[in-house]
Amino acid sequence: MNNTARFLSIAAVAAFASFGAQADEADASQFATKFETNRTRAEVQAEAATVAQTRSIEPAGSRVVTYKSTADRAAVRAQAAEAVRTGQISSGERG
């Protein structure tokens, strides 16, 4: 029992130490990206300002189409009742 516990503790310490071997620089240099550009800061800011002015704040696909009906409510209800009576449309839970 004592040897098993010792073996498991050594294996745990070895596994824990192996994670430290994969560490990189302390300054996170693997994420640094170098850019070489010939544009000035003013040009970039001017472009960003024009994009912000011309961009729509409405999310894509959220436009609601409005429809102004000229039909009378009573006439529409009468037409629907007639369609149910003649069997053109179903009502309730009948298929």
Side-chain angles (χ1 to χ4, degrees):
M1 205 58 147
N2 196 7
N3 287 337
T4 304
R6 183 176 295 165
F7 176 77
L8 289 177
S9 65
I10 291 173
V13 169
F16 184 75
S18 68
F19 289 121
Q22 298 173 4
D24 196 18
E25 298 291 325
D27 63 352
S29 61
Q30 74 269 23
F31 298 115
T33 305
K34 305 284 190 271
F35 288 103
E36 296 294 329
T37 182
N38 55 1
R39 296 172 60 190
T40 65
R41 182 181 179 103
E43 290 173 337
V44 173
Q45 287 178 339
E47 182 182 349
T50 58
V51 169
Q53 291 171 355
T54 59
R55 185 170 184 170
S56 173
I57 61 171
E58 178 181 313
S62 68
R63 183 171 296 251
V64 177
V65 178
T66 58
Y67 176 74
K68 183 68 176 169
S69 175
T70 57
D72 182 34
R73 181 182 293 249
V76 171
R77 292 182 78 118
Q79 288 174 354
E82 181 65 26
V84 168
R85 275 194 295 276
T86 59
Q88 294 176 346
I89 59 173
S90 62
S91 72
E93 294 184 16
R94 296 184 306 188

